[in-house]
Structures are given as C-alpha cells and as structure tokens.
Amino acid sequence: MDEDSISQVIKQLLQREKEKNYDRIKQDMLKGLAQEHSYQSDYEERLYLRWKKALDLFETILLLGRTVGAEFNQRVRPYAVKHNDYVFEVIARTHARSCMTTSAILSLLKSGHAGDALARARTLHEMRVIATFIKEQGDDLANRYLCYEVVDTFKAAKQYEMYYKRLGLEPPKPGNLESLKQAAQKYHAKFLPHLHQDVLKGDYAWAAIVMQKARPTFADIETKVGLDHWRPYFKMASYPIHPSAKGIKFEIGQIGKSNILLAGPSNSGLADPANIALISFNAITTMLLVHMRYLDEKDLVEPYLKSLVAAQVMGELLHEVQQAFFEANQQLVQDELKLQAQEEK
C-alpha cells in the first residue's frame, strides 16, 4: 500500500470515529456543565469570603470614581466644548474607559483570574501615562492625539485590505483605502510637516515633535512623565500577555514551589493586580476631578469643591484597600505554606 492509500485510509478511519464519538463527547461535556457551574459558584463564594474586605473596598473605589467622574463630566463638558478644551476631552474619555477596564479587573479578581487581571492592570497604567503626558503638554498635543485616529484607521484599513480574502470577509468599499490614505496625509501635513512621512509608521507619531524623536515609544513617554519606575511591574504584567519562555512559566496565582500547571482560576495572587489597577484608576480619576480651568464660572464652584473632596476620599480609601489586600494575601500565603508543609510530611 502506497503513502496516498495509507493517508486515505487514515482519513476515512478518523472521519468514521469522529462521527461515532462526536455526539457522545458533546453530550458528556454538556452534562458536565452543570457540575462545573456549581463548582465555580462555590469556589467564587469561598474566594470572596477570604478577600471580602479588600474586594468590597475595591468596588467602592470603582463606584465612587465612576459616579463622581460622570457628574464632573456632565457639569464641566459644556464649558470644555465651548473653549475647545482638548485636554479635558482626552482625560474624560480616558476616565470613562478606565472605569470599564477597572470593572473588568474586578470581575477577573472575583473569579480568581489574577494573571488576566494583571494584564488589564497594565492597560490602566498605559492609560494613566498617556493621559498624564497630554495633561502636562496641553491642548496642542491633545488635539494631535485625538486627530491621530485617522492614521490608526488608515493602518487598520491597510491590514484589512491585505487579509480580508484569507479571513473570508467582505471586500472593502471601493475608494475607502484611498480616502483614508488622504486623511492620513492631511494629518501629516498639518501636524508633522517637518518630519518624513515614515513617522506615521510609529504608534506614537502624534508625540514625535514634543519628544523630539521620529519614532517615540511608550517607554519614552513613560520616562518623560516620571512614571518609568513602574517598569518592573509593567514587565511583570506583560508575562500573562505574551507567550515568552518566562510568560508560559510565570503564574501569579501560585504560592510556593509546585509542579502543578495552573489551567484555571486560583484564589491567590490578587493583591498585586488589584493594587496596580487601583493606583492607576485613582490617578486617572483625580486627574479629571482637578481639571479646574473654569474656576471663574460661579455655577462650577460647588461641583469643583465636591470633586476635590471626592478625590481626597478616594486617596484615603486607596490606602485602606491596599492594606486590606496585603493582610488577606499574607494570611493566604501563611495558610498555603502550612498546608504544603503538612503534605510533604
């Protein structure tokens, strides 16, 4: 029997076995769902009881930040629009996105997915860095940043044009790519006229003139705003994202030495992602609440005062929640190491 014949026989056997076992395997898995859901529910309840104080304070800060941020945006936005306050627009939108991300992190923490919460905490840090940079530089850079959307859209359209057939997607509208290209060229002519057009290939071209660098990086901006000391945490938060040799071995949800490959949730490792996330969320919220360009407007005096008080309360709550996570983590580590020692005897 030649190789082609053998290959054909194997394919026929595989197809027959798949058809015979597919329904059985599917039904077995569906039956197991109820048990899995029950187990996960009980597990999350036990996790919550252990971390209750810390998780409740985390959610309190999120709720407070979201509430006062929404109120501040509603009261100040009319004045910001009137004065073309681009810095406000960037910070307000960043804050809204940070509320969503922090909410997602809370869900991940409650379900025991510390590594994924850590990855999303990195996103919050990136938001904080960019918002801080723009706030320090002012409206001109904020406008460059907001208008850079056309360049990002053009880059995305080029990728779509290249791969839509292989993805089995609909072809783009005729002329769409060319119109987006022209929009990107107009951006270059307006904001980066003295730089080569290749500057647009970078992800942070909007910051090129301020940074005096054709291809500024996030790390450059991070250093510029004095937040580069967060690099070690940024690197740690990258491990759950990238499949590097370190990434596939690093697991924040494990305590001590273990040969077990963690393939699901864990009740440990919540403290670091929670603290990193809340520090960034608090900074972004405070950045919005102290945006006080319109102090001469009488009807904004009271909202500004409330915002300052809220910012101070959030700061105090932050210290309290950090302590709560630290204590819960310390107790968990002690319990786990004691259990491991008993199992080794």
Side-chain angles (χ1 to χ4, degrees):
M1 185 178 290
D2 58 26
E3 290 186 4
D4 289 340
S5 298
I6 293 173
S7 177
Q8 188 63 30
V9 170
I10 291 174
K11 286 182 180 179
Q12 291 174 354
L13 287 172
L14 285 175
Q15 180 65 24
R16 188 173 63 195
E17 288 301 308
K18 186 191 76 172
E19 292 174 353
K20 184 167 60 176
N21 290 287
Y22 176 80
D23 288 336
R24 178 183 59 79
I25 293 173
K26 181 180 177 181
Q27 291 302 317
D28 287 346
M29 292 300 99
L30 288 173
K31 289 178 181 177
L33 282 179
Q35 183 178 352
E36 178 67 18
H37 292 166
S38 177
Y39 170 80
Q40 182 66 19
S41 178
D42 291 343
Y43 163 77
E44 290 181 12
E45 185 176 347
R46 294 193 302 271
L47 182 148
Y48 176 69
L49 289 175
R50 178 178 283 277
W51 295 89
K52 184 180 186 305
K53 180 179 179 181
L55 289 172
D56 283 353
L57 285 170
F58 186 109
E59 192 163 6
T60 298
I61 290 178
L62 170 59
L63 180 59
L64 175 60
R66 187 169 58 200
T67 301
V68 297
E71 292 175 354
F72 187 89
N73 175 66
Q74 185 176 15
R75 295 298 297 272
V76 177
R77 176 164 291 279
Y79 297 94
V81 171
K82 179 181 177 181
H83 292 88
N84 292 321
D85 190 343
Y86 298 117
V87 170
F88 173 85
E89 186 66 16
V90 171
I91 297 174
R93 287 184 174 275
T94 300
H95 179 259
R97 179 59 62 85
S98 76
C99 289
M100 292 174 56
T101 304
T102 305
S103 178
I105 291 170
L106 177 60
S107 295
L108 289 167
L109 293 172
K110 285 184 173 181
S111 62
H113 293 89
D116 296 281
L118 182 63
R120 298 301 288 148
R122 188 187 103 157
T123 302
L124 274 180
H125 170 71
E126 291 171 339
M127 291 182 194
R128 176 193 181 187
V129 168
I130 298 302
T132 302
F133 180 50
I134 289 172
K135 184 175 179 65
E136 289 181 356
Q137 296 299 322
D139 284 319
D140 181 63
L141 183 63
N143 189 27
R144 292 169 186 262
Y145 172 76
L146 291 167
C147 292
Y148 197 71
E149 178 188 0
V150 298
V151 180
D152 283 334
T153 303
F154 172 56
K155 291 178 181 179
K158 284 201 299 183
Q159 288 187 336
Y160 188 94
E161 185 89 20
M162 185 178 297
Y163 297 114
Y164 77 89
K165 289 182 180 178
R166 289 169 63 183
L167 291 169
L169 300 174
E170 293 293 322
K173 294 180 180 178
N176 180 62
L177 188 62
E178 181 59 31
S179 64
L180 289 173
K181 180 180 179 181
Q182 291 176 8
Q185 290 173 338
K186 287 180 181 178
Y187 179 93
H188 178 263
K190 180 178 180 180
F191 293 114
L192 305 167
H194 306 301
L195 297 176
H196 192 277
Q197 194 159 343
D198 281 351
V199 68
L200 296 183
K201 293 180 180 179
D203 292 328
Y204 300 93
W206 51 270
I209 292 179
V210 173
M211 297 300 297
Q212 298 182 343
K213 186 176 182 180
R215 293 281 184 87
T217 65
F218 175 77
D220 294 329
I221 297 172
E222 195 179 42
T223 300
K224 180 74 172 177
V225 298
L227 290 171
D228 50 310
H229 59 287
W230 281 92
R231 274 278 117 187
Y233 285 106
F234 184 91
K235 183 64 176 177
M236 180 178 70
S238 300
Y239 294 142
I241 300 174
H242 305 298
S244 63
K246 176 70 173 180
I248 62 173
K249 294 179 181 179
F250 173 81
E251 184 48 69
I252 196 172
Q254 283 186 327
I255 298 174
K257 296 181 179 179
S258 175
N259 293 322
I260 297 175
L261 298 179
L262 195 61
S266 167
N267 69 344
S268 64
L270 275 61
D272 278 341
N275 285 327
I276 295 170
L278 287 177
I279 288 171
S280 294
F281 179 68
N282 179 67
I284 294 168
T285 304
T286 301
M287 208 180 304
L288 175 65
L289 298 180
V290 299
H291 186 77
M292 298 189 172
R293 289 189 177 182
Y294 313 107
L295 276 171
D296 55 340
E297 301 291 345
K298 293 182 180 180
D299 60 339
L300 288 182
V301 173
E302 185 178 350
Y304 274 146
L305 182 59
K306 288 182 178 179
S307 298
L308 288 175
V309 171
Q312 291 180 345
V313 171
M314 279 191 67
E316 293 181 9
L317 282 172
L318 178 60
H319 292 302
E320 190 175 345
V321 72
Q322 287 176 321
Q323 184 62 29
F325 271 106
F326 173 78
E327 291 174 356
N329 186 69
Q330 287 291 96
Q331 186 61 54
L332 176 61
V333 170
Q334 290 177 16
D335 294 345
E336 182 62 25
L337 292 178
K338 187 182 297 184
L339 180 62
Q340 290 181 12
Q342 291 174 351
E343 291 176 348
E344 290 175 358
K345 290 180 179 180

